[in-house]
Amino acid sequence: PKGLQSMLEPIILFIRDDIAKAAIGEKKYEKYLPYLLTLFFFIFLNNLIGLIPIFPFGANVTGNLAVTGIMAVFTFVITTFSGNKDYWKHVFNTPGVPWWLKFPVPLMPFVEFLGLFTKPFVLMVRLFANITAGHIIVLSLICLIFIFVSVWVAPVSILFVVFMDCIELLVAFLQAYIFTLLSSLFIGMATAEEHH
């Protein structure tokens, strides 16, 4: 491979081998790999575009709850409809749990059912909060120049902004990786066969 393909191929193989195969399993990962790749590259590219401060870039797309919420809903729908009977058995009648946690008050099934909705919510908030926090820090550092109304604050502020932008490059990749990994783990839990 040459050019763009030589840059993208290791990332695609990493997502296939270390995320999808590891979390979902050898037999079922291929069905979900296109979704996981789309998810990773969508988040990663939007995070990178959000770091460029020149128009038409600079939009903080993944720092928007609506965008991260829709991605979390996609993961929730895929997980819910891919869940096998073992998955639903663990949700509503968790094996290995004392009977008094299941009956007469279904405490454990309620907690497990609530977990179905908290997982995508956590996915949504984690991505939103991490991306927004980095942008707020950069904006705050730039605002220091105008707050102190001093030219002497500008070099220090700009130096810290450049440092934060370098960290944001790492965060851009890391957050795409974490969202994709957690999505594949949730799908893997829903599709896993019961071991005897």
Side-chain angles (χ1 to χ4, degrees):
K2 294 178 182 169
L4 185 63
Q5 184 181 355
S6 68
M7 184 181 80
L8 293 179
E9 190 172 352
I11 297 172
I12 292 170
L13 292 177
F14 171 73
I15 293 169
R16 184 192 72 185
D17 297 337
D18 294 338
I19 296 177
K21 274 186 187 177
I24 300 171
E26 289 278 338
K27 297 176 183 174
K28 298 181 181 177
Y29 82 92
E30 288 179 348
K31 180 179 178 181
Y32 305 101
L33 187 60
Y35 170 68
L36 295 173
L37 286 169
T38 303
L39 198 63
F40 177 83
F41 284 109
F42 179 78
I43 296 170
F44 183 57
L45 291 175
N46 279 307
N47 287 348
L48 290 181
I49 288 171
L51 293 176
I52 302 170
I54 304 163
F55 184 79
F57 305 106
N60 189 8
V61 176
T62 50
N64 185 339
L65 272 175
V67 174
T68 58
I70 290 298
M71 290 187 294
V73 166
F74 284 157
T75 298
F76 172 74
V77 168
I78 289 171
T79 303
T80 302
F81 286 105
S82 297
N84 56 22
K85 65 177 183 157
D86 296 324
Y87 174 70
W88 292 109
K89 183 175 85 175
H90 276 78
V91 170
F92 292 111
N93 188 16
T94 311
V97 174
W99 66 269
W100 51 271
L101 285 173
K102 297 180 199 176
F103 308 105
V105 178
L107 180 64
M108 201 63 198
F110 175 73
V111 170
E112 289 290 333
F113 183 73
L114 195 63
L116 295 176
F117 300 99
T118 56
K119 288 175 193 172
F121 179 76
V122 168
L123 269 179
M124 173 186 73
V125 172
R126 176 183 285 120
L127 179 59
F128 163 75
N130 282 301
I131 298 303
T132 303
H135 283 72
I136 288 173
I137 290 171
V138 169
L139 186 62
S140 301
L141 289 169
I142 290 172
C143 286
L144 287 176
I145 299 168
F146 301 101
I147 291 171
F148 287 106
V149 192
S150 171
V151 178
W152 301 106
V153 177
V156 176
S157 181
I158 290 171
L159 187 67
F160 278 115
V161 166
V162 170
F163 174 72
M164 276 306 300
D165 278 341
C166 292
I167 291 177
E168 284 285 301
L169 284 173
L170 174 67
V171 169
F173 178 82
L174 195 62
Q175 289 306 316
Y177 166 72
I178 289 172
F179 199 100
T180 307
L181 176 67
L182 289 175
S183 294
S184 65
L185 284 172
F186 297 155
I187 294 168
M189 288 189 302
T191 59
E193 298 295 331
E194 189 174 28
H195 300 288
H196 297 287

